[in-house]
Amino acid sequence: MNKLASHIAALWAGFILAGNFIAPTAKFRAPSLELATALEVGRITFRWMAVAELALLALLIVIVSFGAVPRSKWLALPVSVFASQWMLIMPALDSRTKAIIAGETVPPSQWHLVYVAAEFLKFTAVLWLVWQWAREPSGTKNPTETRSPSPEMS
């Protein structure tokens, strides 16, 4: 179960990197793409990324709930960050985005920086889980447990 959890978490980390760091940066560097259009595409992209992340997150929760996966309590950190992003940060960013798309002038805001910091924390936490789960022997719940030594050849 450890390897499966590690692979799913690695896929999640890849989604975070590609969908929330690489694609948005590339989109806003396209010179012919109007800001309003880029923001509309961004809103849709982030919603679909959330669906994908939620699916992977749910799968990980099922795996750690029914399998002997060590350090599974640490899954709570990226889960909490994800929940905070979608319940607290994204509503503020979404209303700001809608206002910009509608042509309104909006005052400066730190919400984007808060989102990026949360995303970086989530990405780092997921990578840590990938590393932890990949290096643990399967079926080991207690990190102090080790594999039994191999018998010496006589």
Side-chain angles (χ1 to χ4, degrees):
M1 284 295 203
N2 298 359
K3 298 295 182 202
L4 181 59
S6 179
H7 293 333
I8 293 169
L11 183 60
W12 185 13
F15 274 47
I16 293 169
L17 181 63
N20 296 327
F21 288 116
I22 296 172
T25 303
K27 176 180 56 197
F28 285 105
R29 294 190 189 277
S32 63
L33 191 59
E34 296 289 327
L35 177 61
T37 304
L39 290 172
E40 286 179 285
V41 170
R43 287 183 71 231
I44 294 167
T45 302
F46 277 96
R47 297 266 183 240
W48 280 106
M49 281 299 305
V51 169
E53 284 190 70
L54 192 56
L56 292 172
L57 217 161
L59 189 55
L60 277 174
I61 290 171
V62 168
I63 289 169
V64 301
S65 296
F66 294 107
V69 180
R71 295 177 178 82
S72 55
K73 66 183 176 195
W74 288 101
L75 183 57
L77 178 58
V79 168
S80 299
V81 173
F82 179 82
S84 297
Q85 285 177 304
W86 285 95
M87 290 190 289
L88 303 172
I89 303 169
M90 286 306 281
L93 285 174
D94 196 48
S95 62
R96 181 177 170 78
T97 299
K98 286 178 183 176
I100 293 170
I101 291 169
E104 298 174 25
T105 303
V106 294
S109 168
Q110 297 298 317
W111 282 112
H112 189 259
L113 185 59
V114 171
Y115 182 85
V116 170
E119 199 65 21
F120 184 75
L121 174 63
K122 181 175 66 177
F123 179 68
T124 304
V126 172
L127 282 181
W128 186 84
L129 286 171
V130 169
W131 181 68
Q132 290 297 316
W133 290 337
R135 66 187 204 103
E136 284 289 334
S138 291
T140 303
K141 259 218 180 284
N142 184 348
T144 59
E145 290 178 28
T146 56
R147 294 183 192 183
S148 55
S150 59
E152 292 183 14
M153 308 272 284
S154 323

